[in-house]
Amino acid sequence: MRVAALALCLCIVGVSPLFAADTPRFELGAGYTFMRDTDRAESFPAGWLVSASGNANNWIGVVTEVGGSHRSCDNCPRGPFATEAFRGTNLHVRVLTFMAGPRVASHANSFVTPFAQVLVGGSHISGGVEWDGALNTGFTYQPGAGVDVRVAPGIAVWVQGDYRIIRTSGRNNN
């Protein structure tokens, strides 16, 4: 995974020219997210994301991201700290993330902009799957890559894939 991300970054930086005519100074985005918890084999199909980025020059910028994922489950499997009182109860599990970090992008083509980024921040988990309704906040880091496709002047559609690691209670959740 790390080798593939490094190779993608090197391709973006090495192949694209460093100077493009129409690099925006500021970008704002909002969208839908789908999160998969690979440790528990559970999906969070209802999610949202707001992203803002500022470009320092034609190939590097800083991005901030706030997002939330939600999952309702009936008779959810519980973690090791759950009590019997919650078995069979419907739960609404929420994960709220707040992160920032560097982004490398190729603005060589005015219609397609590939990018790679590494975000660092925190995640706030609530809802009780593992902690019986208690709240938990953990350190989060998220490498990812994607592509912006311009559909009109000043408007683009983007597709992005990330690998999120949330560190809580001394262990990683992927």
Side-chain angles (χ1 to χ4, degrees):
M1 178 71 180
R2 291 181 189 156
V3 173
L6 180 60
L8 177 66
C9 290
L10 290 175
C11 286
I12 289 172
V13 173
V15 173
S16 67
L18 294 179
F19 300 100
D22 58 350
T23 302
R25 286 285 175 216
F26 181 75
E27 298 173 88
L28 183 65
Y32 165 79
T33 63
F34 177 87
M35 185 174 75
R36 176 85 177 144
D37 185 340
T38 57
D39 291 335
R40 293 179 186 84
E42 296 174 351
S43 296
F44 289 74
W48 57 272
L49 167 73
V50 176
S51 175
S53 62
N55 295 311
N57 58 32
N58 295 324
W59 58 277
I60 193 157
V62 175
V63 63
T64 60
E65 182 179 291
V66 175
S69 297
H70 178 266
R71 178 174 191 263
S72 294
C73 58
D74 302 327
N75 200 13
C76 295
R78 304 296 192 266
F81 306 109
T83 62
E84 291 295 324
F86 281 92
R87 299 210 183 271
T89 304
N90 297 343
L91 295 176
H92 302 285
V93 182
R94 292 173 216 51
V95 179
L96 177 65
T97 58
F98 38 95
M99 297 179 283
R103 174 184 282 178
V104 176
S106 170
H107 293 279
N109 184 330
S110 62
F111 293 103
V112 178
T113 305
F115 64 88
Q117 62 190 22
V118 177
L119 303 179
V120 177
S123 290
H124 182 71
I125 305 165
S126 64
V129 168
E130 191 167 352
W131 303 279
D132 283 350
L135 303 175
N136 197 1
T137 301
F139 173 74
T140 303
Y141 57 101
Q142 175 178 295
V147 63
D148 289 336
V149 179
R150 190 176 87 176
V151 294
I155 299 174
V157 174
W158 96 88
V159 177
Q160 177 178 336
D162 299 305
Y163 188 76
R164 182 179 295 164
I165 298 96
I166 302 172
R167 182 139 180 96
T168 57
S169 303
R171 58 174 255 224
N172 289 341
N173 299 297
N174 301 314

